[in-house]
Amino acid sequence: MSSLLLRHHRPFLAFWFARVFTASGFQMITVAIGWQMYALTGNVLDLGLVGLIEFMPKILFILITGHVADRFDRRKVAALCQGAQGLIALGLLLGSGAGGISREMIFVIAFLLGTARAFEMPTTQALLPNIVPSNLFPAAVAASASAMQAATIVAPALGGLLYALGTHWVYGPAVVLYSCALSLMLSLPARQLPLKQKVSLESLLAGFRFIRSRPAVFGAISMDMCAVLLSGATALLPVFAKDILLTGPWGLGLLRSAPAVGALLMSLWLTRFPIERRVGPVLFTSVAIFGVATIGFGLSTSLWFSLAALVLLGAADMISMVIRSAFVQLQTPDEMRGRVGAVNGLFIGASNQLGDFRAGVSAAWFGTVPAVMIGGVGALVVTGLWIRLFPELAKRDHMHPQPNPQPPSAAA
């Protein structure tokens, strides 16, 4: 993290820790309910359904979440979402202690968790520029990304180890983490610009129009969505851990953490050596590497080779994420950041949660390994197709559009 941010911007430090605590709590819960569901039913389709149900609120509330982030105090909205997730963790703690966790209850929990995160994601994305001056914003984005990846590394592995001791060892700490995040979020200063525009269908749809009007932004986020949607294998990790790699909850935790290891290392590299030239070719190459790494993971029967493939996958995905985020954040005015963030979150959710559902359905139809292989090939197909659909993005050199040089005026 930038030392300048730490010295001069305590609000960013509070925001940083709040994001780490929230991400850690979510990852721990996700590992626990994934293992719990597979232990209850042994059905890979149920793992996919959990991802689908968690994604549904992003679609149902897409026109509301971004508008809430732009109209109301973002600190309070984010804190309310984190408090709701803390209550969900508390419910899981009490339900597990009473032996009342069932397949149907996990589905309900997934929907509630997805609803809270559907409102939290665009709010926290729009909140960061309100607490960091523009000259430090790129460093803040990089520091925030590395913090999230660090939490994603530690929390799933810790969640798997704690789950082996008992479910209450997972859900209890998650309650504490969400409570800390809520307190830190409320401590941030209120610097949000009020949204003066009245609520209307036009204002609700503004985020969609904004992204669609910028081909580079739309091409980047849609390619990432389609590639991850086709090749995502996160929902199947419990199957790989238990039936293919012959490990336990601790192994599942390592598998969940491995992509974040690659993403963290890559985010640290990009902080030191940012992508300044050949942005388009780098973006398309990273998505292709993502597909190849997915194929390698699907073919592996070794835990260590699988972990290496997932590390490579996470590093490639981080490159795509950095480019996509830069396009969105650098071109969006503050009064629209919530609505644009909600649309971007819909794309991300479609790739992740719907990708989990796609993986579960494919595994039920074709088998676990073929499902992953099909997804990896699909990511390569998307890369080639998007090169043809968005040639300007594929050839783009700089992150920012370069001004056309003006010819010298003729001498009088």
Side-chain angles (χ1 to χ4, degrees):
M1 186 186 301
S2 169
S3 59
L4 190 60
L5 282 171
L6 290 176
R7 287 199 304 269
H8 299 292
H9 297 281
R10 291 184 180 179
F12 175 75
L13 193 60
F15 176 87
W16 190 84
F17 275 111
R19 295 282 282 158
V20 169
F21 292 154
T22 301
S24 299
F26 175 72
Q27 292 294 334
M28 292 171 67
I29 290 176
T30 300
V31 169
I33 64 176
W35 191 270
Q36 217 166 354
M37 176 63 85
Y38 193 57
L40 282 171
T41 69
N43 189 345
V44 293
L45 182 59
D46 284 338
L47 297 176
L49 287 174
V50 170
L52 175 63
I53 292 172
E54 187 180 324
F55 172 69
M56 284 174 58
K58 286 187 172 69
I59 297 177
L60 294 176
F61 307 126
I62 179 63
L63 296 180
I64 304 174
T65 54
H67 205 83
V68 167
D70 285 335
R71 181 165 291 275
F72 299 102
D73 189 331
R74 290 168 182 161
R75 303 168 308 144
K76 295 180 180 178
V77 173
L80 181 62
C81 294
Q82 290 156 358
Q85 292 172 81
L87 291 176
I88 292 169
L90 180 60
L92 284 166
L93 174 63
L94 298 176
S96 297
I101 300 295
S102 64
R103 173 178 178 269
E104 291 71 24
M105 184 176 179
I106 291 177
F107 287 150
V108 172
I109 288 168
F111 182 84
L112 295 176
L113 195 62
T115 300
R117 287 177 60 79
F119 282 88
E120 181 189 21
M121 180 179 290
T123 303
T124 52
Q125 286 179 350
L127 182 61
L128 181 57
N130 297 140
I131 61 176
V132 177
S134 57
N135 63 313
L136 293 178
F137 185 65
V141 173
S144 182
S146 64
M148 295 294 291
Q149 296 305 325
T152 307
I153 292 169
V154 176
L158 180 60
L161 291 172
L162 293 175
Y163 187 90
L165 300 176
T167 54
H168 61 282
W169 285 98
V170 180
Y171 299 132
V175 174
V176 175
L177 288 170
Y178 280 120
S179 300
C180 293
L182 183 155
S183 177
L184 288 169
M185 195 62 67
L186 290 177
S187 71
L188 297 176
R191 297 174 181 170
Q192 179 179 350
L193 296 176
L195 178 63
K196 299 179 180 180
Q197 186 178 11
K198 294 182 178 180
V199 179
S200 65
L201 183 60
E202 181 180 356
S203 68
L204 293 174
L205 295 174
F208 287 97
R209 289 197 305 272
F210 184 88
I211 288 179
R212 189 64 185 89
S213 66
R214 284 155 175 80
V217 175
F218 181 68
I221 65 175
S222 61
M223 180 175 66
D224 178 83
M225 179 193 71
C226 292
V228 178
L229 174 63
L230 291 174
S231 60
T234 303
L236 301 179
L237 291 183
V239 184
F240 275 90
K242 185 176 181 181
D243 298 338
I244 297 176
L245 302 176
L246 304 179
T247 182
W250 65 272
L252 173 60
L254 291 177
L255 291 173
R256 298 260 329 176
S257 299
V261 172
L264 174 61
L265 294 175
M266 182 55 66
S267 67
L268 295 175
W269 174 268
L270 293 177
T271 301
R272 180 67 179 85
F273 304 101
I275 302 172
E276 297 178 349
R277 301 294 302 271
R278 295 181 56 80
V279 170
V282 169
L283 173 64
F284 282 88
T285 301
S286 69
V287 177
I289 293 174
F290 183 92
V292 172
T294 300
I295 294 173
F297 172 75
L299 292 173
S300 174
T301 56
S302 163
L303 175 61
W304 301 113
F305 186 86
S306 298
L307 291 173
L310 291 174
V311 168
L312 178 61
L313 181 151
D317 189 49
M318 174 55 66
I319 296 174
S320 173
M321 188 277 290
V322 167
I323 295 175
R324 184 181 68 249
S325 297
F327 283 153
V328 174
Q329 294 172 346
L330 292 174
Q331 297 188 42
T332 307
D334 181 70
E335 66 272 11
M336 288 189 61
R337 285 195 175 112
R339 285 164 289 173
V340 172
V343 178
N344 189 34
L346 179 64
F347 278 82
I348 295 172
S351 63
N352 293 328
Q353 277 76 49
L354 281 186
D356 288 347
F357 177 66
R358 191 280 315 164
V361 172
S362 297
W365 286 354
F366 308 114
T368 302
V369 172
V372 175
M373 298 294 296
I374 292 170
V377 173
L380 296 177
V381 172
V382 166
T383 304
L385 182 60
W386 255 244
I387 290 175
R388 295 180 63 87
L389 292 176
F390 299 92
E392 293 184 4
L393 175 62
K395 299 175 183 177
R396 184 157 182 152
D397 188 49
H398 292 81
M399 189 73 72
H400 301 275
Q402 298 299 299
N404 295 324
Q406 297 294 328
S409 58

